[in-house]
């Protein structure tokens, strides 16, 4: 009887854990979608691609989540924490000053991975080819860009009306986000624009390359996993 109760409890705990994990991620179904744009540069040209179903974090990885990783994995802290200390008041703000390796190792620790850029773009724009996560017209009140007047990162979920079609926040502005896709022989693709740049870089198709060792105050990440 005790053994049976333990089995039931374990099953219920597993279901609860799965439900909690799923609530922190958005499911993006498989299928074709439009990547790039006629408005983009040569390497942002329009084409259709097929992406398998996957999950993506609804929020950029926060300082609080990253601290749990630092404490558990004994990794180096971001440089701003060494200078100013870790701030509990900023635990819900996206972590910055993390390299590609830092981001990748966090995702592995969390049982996930970095998204490829096609996954990132589909999660940001859906299947209707929209220019911004919320539609085709820019709105400075739906994303944290240089036009928002904030000057710095903002807390996760601040821009409720700026969500993507799948419910992911801050896929325009706030911080650039690492992907696992190569930009060229030296760099990795980053997506989404940032608080320090205009709406041109906050489009769903904008892509820039950074060297994997890059650590700057407007670059963070979010994780993905197979669906």
């Amino acid at each position: 009887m005790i053994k049976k109760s333990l089995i039931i409890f374990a099953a219920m705990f597993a279901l609860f854990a799965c439900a909690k994990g799923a609530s922190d991620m958005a499911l993006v179904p498989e299928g074709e979608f439009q990547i790039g744009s006629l408005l983009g540069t040569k390497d942002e040209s329009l084409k259709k691609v097929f992406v398998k179903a996957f999950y993506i974090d609804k929020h950029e990885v926060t300082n609080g989540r990253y601290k749990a990783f630092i404490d558990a994995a004994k990794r180096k802290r971001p440089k701003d924490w060494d200078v100013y200390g870790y701030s509990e008041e900023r635990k819900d703000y996206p972590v910055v000053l993390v390299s590609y390796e830092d981001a990748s190792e966090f995702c592995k620790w969390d049982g996930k991975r970095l998204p490829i850029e096609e996954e990132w773009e589909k999660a940001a724009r859906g299947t209707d080819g929209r220019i911004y996560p919320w539609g085709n017209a820019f709105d400075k009140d739906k994303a944290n860009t240089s036009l928002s007047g904030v000057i710095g990162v903002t807390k996760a979920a601040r821009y409720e009306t700026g969500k993507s079609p799948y419910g992911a926040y801050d896929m325009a502005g706030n911080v650039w986000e690492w992907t696992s896709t190569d930009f060229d022989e030296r760099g990795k693709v980053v997506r989404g624009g940032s608080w320090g740049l205009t709406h041109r870089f906050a489009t769903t198709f904008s892509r820039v390359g950074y060297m994997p060792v890059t650590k700057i105050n407007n670059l963070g990440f979010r994780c993905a996993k197979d669906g």
Side-chain angles (χ1 to χ4, degrees), residues 7 9 48 95 104 118 125 134 223:
I7 292 172
F9 175 78
K48 280 194 172 182
V95 67
S104 183
E118 291 85 358
R125 79 189 312 185
W134 57 84
C223 305

Side-chain angles (χ1 to χ4, degrees), residues 48-226:
K48 280 194 172 182
V49 298
F50 178 88
V51 175
K52 292 182 179 180
F54 66 97
Y55 289 92
I56 194 163
D57 286 345
K58 290 181 181 178
H59 305 292
E60 292 156 337
V61 172
T62 61
N63 288 315
R65 288 178 65 195
Y66 200 76
K67 185 177 186 300
F69 164 62
I70 292 294
D71 292 345
K74 308 302 180 186
R75 299 276 299 189
K76 282 189 66 174
R77 306 191 324 165
K79 186 176 290 186
D80 57 335
W81 295 10
D82 289 331
V83 175
Y84 303 108
Y86 172 78
S87 171
E88 190 64 23
E89 292 181 358
R90 295 182 66 82
K91 67 182 179 65
D92 294 325
Y93 287 69
V95 67
V96 293
L97 294 166
V98 288
S99 69
Y100 173 81
E101 181 188 4
D102 294 332
S104 183
E105 288 301 312
F106 172 92
C107 291
K108 289 178 185 176
W109 173 81
D110 206 28
K112 303 171 187 176
R113 57 176 172 78
L114 285 172
I116 60 173
E117 70 166 319
E118 291 85 358
E119 290 174 331
W120 191 99
E121 185 164 330
K122 186 172 184 181
R125 79 189 312 185
T127 58
D128 58 5
R130 59 185 60 188
I131 297 173
Y132 302 99
W134 57 84
N136 291 322
F138 180 73
D139 186 334
K140 67 180 180 62
D141 296 321
K142 292 185 177 181
N144 180 22
T145 67
S146 62
L147 305 179
S148 69
V150 175
I151 310 178
V153 296
T154 54
K155 186 182 292 189
R158 170 171 173 166
Y159 295 94
E160 181 68 30
T161 58
K163 290 187 298 186
S164 81
Y166 302 106
Y169 291 80
D170 295 315
M171 299 202 82
N174 218 18
V175 296
W176 285 111
E177 299 179 16
W178 287 112
T179 76
S180 62
T181 300
D182 291 336
F183 184 80
D184 54 26
E185 66 276 6
R186 296 187 303 164
K188 291 289 185 180
V189 173
V190 300
R191 291 296 203 113
S194 79
W195 60 265
L197 297 168
T198 69
H199 60 296
R200 163 63 185 89
F201 295 95
T203 62
T204 54
F205 52 84
S206 178
R207 63 195 301 271
V208 173
Y210 277 137
M211 294 182 67
V213 295
T214 303
K215 296 183 180 184
I216 49 179
N217 68 354
N218 65 346
L219 175 57
F221 67 101
R222 74 180 73 216
C223 305
K225 69 178 182 180
D226 296 342

